[in-house]
Amino acid sequence: MGQMAKLSMAWPDIVVIFLYLGGIVGLGLWAWFRRKRTATSASAYFLAGETLRWPMIGLALFSTNISTIHLVSLAQEGYVNGLAYGNFEWMAAFLLIVLSFFFAPFYIRSRVATLPDFLERRYSRACRDWLAVLSILSAVFIHIGFSLYTGAVVLKGLFGIDINVSIFVTAALTGIYTIVGGLLAVVMTESVQTIILIGGSACVLVAGLSSVGGWGGLAVSVDPVKLTILRTAAETPSLPWYSVFLGYPIIGLWYWCADQTIVQRVLGAKDERNARIGPLFTGFIKILPVFLFVLPGLIADGLVRQGKLPAINDSADTYSVLINHLLPVGLKGVVAAALLAALMSTVSGALNSISTLFSLDLYKRWRPRTPDLRLTYIGRVVTFVGMILAILWSPLISHFQSIFQGIVALICYIAPPITAVFIWGVLWRRASAAGAVATLSIGSALGLAVFFLDWFKERTGWNVPSMMATFYLFVICSVILAVLSYLKPHRHTAESEKLVWSSPLAALKSRVGSGGLDYRLVALLLFIVMIVLYVVFA
């Protein structure tokens, strides 16, 4: 990825950025001070005392998901490929419905603090250990590593700061309130950051549409195929329509339903109703990124063709060129703050999940009588160590041709075995512990092998699109799980019996909870809205 074009920042922009940084770190520390008396409680530190309501869950899920990668790389993909990569945003809504219906109820009823804990209750202790290690690695190398690197590239474009220095400074600032305040600080800051993120991105979108002549002006200025979201293999070889429908559910099930970094906000829900509606609220917000992040890249293409923007030599510069040419003084600072919000929210969420996984799934196994005060201390130390590892890994990400395609590829190779054991675990009673352990170990080894084939593809000749590779790996993992589950049947406990749906329809018959919205109606509305959007843009 090339360097971003340097932006011209006036003093009001700098003031806005520093006000944001001071405000968000201060808010995180205030969250800790507010809960000072219970800050040593494991539940308060790791799960925000299980007090989160659906609006905060929904905003925090979105904020943790959206990172600087989305703002910069989706604009880059929009400039090169049009709306095609918007599928990664809109398809998420369907997987959030799956989280709300099939997984959230079991997570809340079993009152687990981590997803590896859930896997132990459904399968075995060995599954818990394996998933804990995989989840920590994914948090360090995917969530934090990619976000830090992309954020550093952005800061180099804004201020000309060295990439390594930027990685260290942003990691340190985020680590301060994450280490001290735990999940409550993370969620409170994420909720504010979501608003800043959407507001800043909207400024770029509105300015771009105004300059290009509205939707009509855009439509006549770009290749018509770029305005469609589903493409043939001939139109977009890296993302044909069938790879979206075959591959995305695999990575989406892992990311939205079985990844600790994301789902930890649901685990901190006040009750089952809030745990169900929170993800659905996120699903509605996920409609926005196609317009806020992808469309500006396409608008840049239209403006270049109209002669209103200079030719963009490196597509990685797309977002910075838009900011530099379209936004007035002051608004540039707001957008810069939005970029920092995207970076810090993802990093803080991942750091908090690492501390939770290590403390509750690994450390407490060897020291089961560890008091809460000690666990909280261990969590803070691990947060710091995870941050250091991510800092060391981040510069290597420049190996990938496109950052967004790089992160997708990495997820495609880690997700299949985890997705297989989770989805069949809650839907198929016969899925066994022996089958799950074999699936996690063999599937992870296969994923690692494919990763190296892809990493060294100039030598290996590997040319299978990552979205199809993840589908093939999932089929293999499902076969492994099925065969071994028949050969070595599962011995259910009273608890594990309750963690399998008798049928998929049983999830629709669950209790709604007293007062408020019916999650089934909210899910139906979300489903209809997404189908309409796909029909309109297909």
Side-chain angles (χ1 to χ4, degrees):
M1 180 174 174
Q3 293 181 353
M4 296 178 66
K6 189 173 181 179
L7 302 180
S8 55
M9 304 288 285
W11 69 264
D13 300 310
I14 306 297
V15 170
V16 169
I17 292 168
F18 276 96
L19 284 175
Y20 162 75
L21 288 174
I24 210 68
V25 173
L27 177 63
L29 295 176
W30 175 81
W32 163 75
F33 181 78
R34 181 185 172 194
R35 291 289 179 88
K36 195 173 182 180
R37 294 181 180 177
T38 58
T40 55
S41 159
S43 174
Y45 187 78
F46 297 118
L47 295 179
E50 299 174 347
T51 59
L52 303 180
R53 297 179 182 273
W54 67 263
M56 190 172 285
I57 293 171
L59 290 171
L61 277 172
F62 179 78
S63 185
T64 299
N65 163 236
I66 297 298
S67 69
T68 325
I69 299 165
H70 291 74
L71 276 75
V72 176
S73 295
L74 282 180
Q76 177 185 5
E77 295 294 347
Y79 180 74
V80 175
N81 295 306
L83 299 182
Y85 277 80
N87 280 293
F88 289 94
E89 302 305 308
W90 282 358
M91 285 293 290
F94 299 107
L95 279 303
L96 285 159
I97 292 174
V98 173
L99 171 60
S100 175
F101 276 21
F102 297 104
F103 291 97
F106 287 158
Y107 295 158
I108 296 302
R109 292 173 197 174
S110 56
R111 278 300 170 190
V112 294
T114 68
L115 298 186
D117 186 4
F118 172 81
L119 220 55
E120 178 182 15
R121 299 185 191 206
R122 172 57 182 88
Y123 291 114
S124 67
R125 179 74 218 199
C127 289
R128 178 176 186 170
D129 294 341
W130 195 274
L131 182 62
V133 173
L134 281 178
S135 298
I136 290 172
L137 291 175
S138 69
V140 171
F141 293 106
I142 294 178
H143 293 292
I144 305 175
F146 275 87
S147 295
L148 284 178
Y149 179 76
T150 314
V153 173
V154 170
L155 289 177
K156 185 174 179 64
L158 292 174
F159 308 112
I161 302 173
D162 179 75
I163 284 181
N164 293 320
V165 173
S166 297
I167 288 172
F168 177 79
V169 171
T170 52
L173 286 173
T174 309
I176 290 173
Y177 67 79
T178 306
I179 291 172
V180 172
L183 183 62
L184 181 65
V186 170
V187 171
M188 289 190 70
T189 52
E190 283 175 341
S191 299
V192 174
Q193 286 163 330
T194 299
I195 298 169
I196 295 173
L197 177 61
I198 292 174
S201 303
C203 292
V204 178
L205 173 64
V206 171
L209 277 175
S210 174
S211 182
V212 82
W215 187 265
L218 176 64
V220 298
S221 301
V222 300
D223 184 347
V225 75
K226 286 191 171 185
L227 291 168
T228 61
I229 199 159
L230 296 176
R231 312 276 180 77
T232 64
E235 292 168 338
T236 309
S238 61
L239 197 69
W241 66 268
Y242 54 82
S243 72
V244 171
F245 293 122
L246 292 176
Y248 187 85
I250 312 305
I251 64 175
L253 274 166
W254 168 73
Y255 188 89
W256 291 108
C257 304
D259 179 26
Q260 181 72 25
T261 297
I262 297 297
V263 182
Q264 189 159 339
R265 283 113 202 84
V266 176
L267 302 183
K270 181 184 179 186
D271 52 38
E272 186 176 318
R273 186 178 69 84
N274 282 283
R276 284 180 179 273
I277 297 179
L280 298 176
F281 179 39
T282 307
F284 283 104
I285 308 177
K286 287 293 283 182
I287 295 170
L288 300 177
V290 171
F291 303 106
L292 292 178
F293 309 143
V294 184
L295 189 57
L298 185 55
I299 289 172
D301 181 32
L303 290 172
V304 169
R305 291 170 183 264
Q306 291 177 0
K308 296 178 180 178
L309 276 185
I312 301 176
N313 297 321
D314 186 345
S315 60
D317 289 342
T318 301
Y319 205 71
S320 63
V321 169
L322 283 170
I323 296 171
N324 209 21
H325 286 81
L326 299 181
L327 297 185
V329 170
L331 276 184
K332 289 180 183 178
V334 172
V335 176
L339 289 164
L340 290 171
L343 163 64
M344 296 174 74
S345 62
T346 299
V347 172
S348 65
L351 286 173
N352 185 251
S353 74
I354 289 171
S355 68
T356 307
L357 288 161
F358 185 89
S359 302
L360 301 185
D361 287 306
L362 300 178
Y363 188 84
K364 199 171 183 179
R365 177 184 180 181
W366 304 112
R367 301 280 180 91
R369 297 183 180 178
T370 305
D372 281 0
L373 180 61
R374 176 71 177 173
L375 272 182
T376 303
Y377 171 76
I378 293 297
R380 286 171 173 153
V381 172
V382 171
T383 300
F384 179 77
V385 173
M387 183 172 64
I388 297 301
L389 290 175
I391 289 172
L392 295 176
W393 150 254
S394 295
L396 299 178
I397 291 169
S398 59
H399 168 88
F400 293 105
Q401 199 167 23
S402 159
I403 287 183
F404 191 76
Q405 292 181 33
I407 194 173
V408 168
L410 221 56
I411 292 174
C412 283
Y413 304 143
I414 199 174
I418 303 174
T419 294
V421 298
F422 267 86
I423 192 65
W424 299 127
V426 300
L427 293 179
W428 189 39
R429 187 181 178 280
R430 295 196 64 166
S432 72
V437 171
T439 301
L440 287 170
S441 53
I442 297 173
S444 298
L446 289 174
L448 183 63
V450 173
F451 166 75
F452 281 118
L453 286 172
D454 191 15
W455 186 271
F456 298 107
K457 58 187 173 186
E458 291 81 6
R459 298 180 183 178
T460 63
W462 180 264
N463 64 353
V464 179
S466 57
M467 290 287 279
M468 290 307 299
T470 199
F471 175 71
Y472 300 142
L473 287 169
F474 174 75
V475 171
I476 294 171
C477 290
S478 297
V479 170
I480 293 171
L481 180 61
V483 170
L484 282 174
S485 294
Y486 277 109
L487 293 176
K488 295 185 177 181
H490 191 64
R491 294 183 177 180
H492 276 283
T493 64
E495 184 175 39
S496 66
E497 286 275 11
K498 298 176 181 178
L499 299 180
V500 185
W501 294 107
S502 57
S503 75
L505 292 178
L508 298 174
K509 300 174 183 177
S510 299
R511 61 183 183 273
V512 176
S514 58
L517 300 170
D518 184 331
Y519 70 91
R520 291 169 295 195
L521 294 178
V522 178
L524 178 62
L525 177 60
L526 175 59
F527 184 83
I528 292 172
V529 168
M530 297 314 302
I531 293 297
V532 170
L533 284 171
Y534 264 96
V535 169
V536 170
F537 286 92

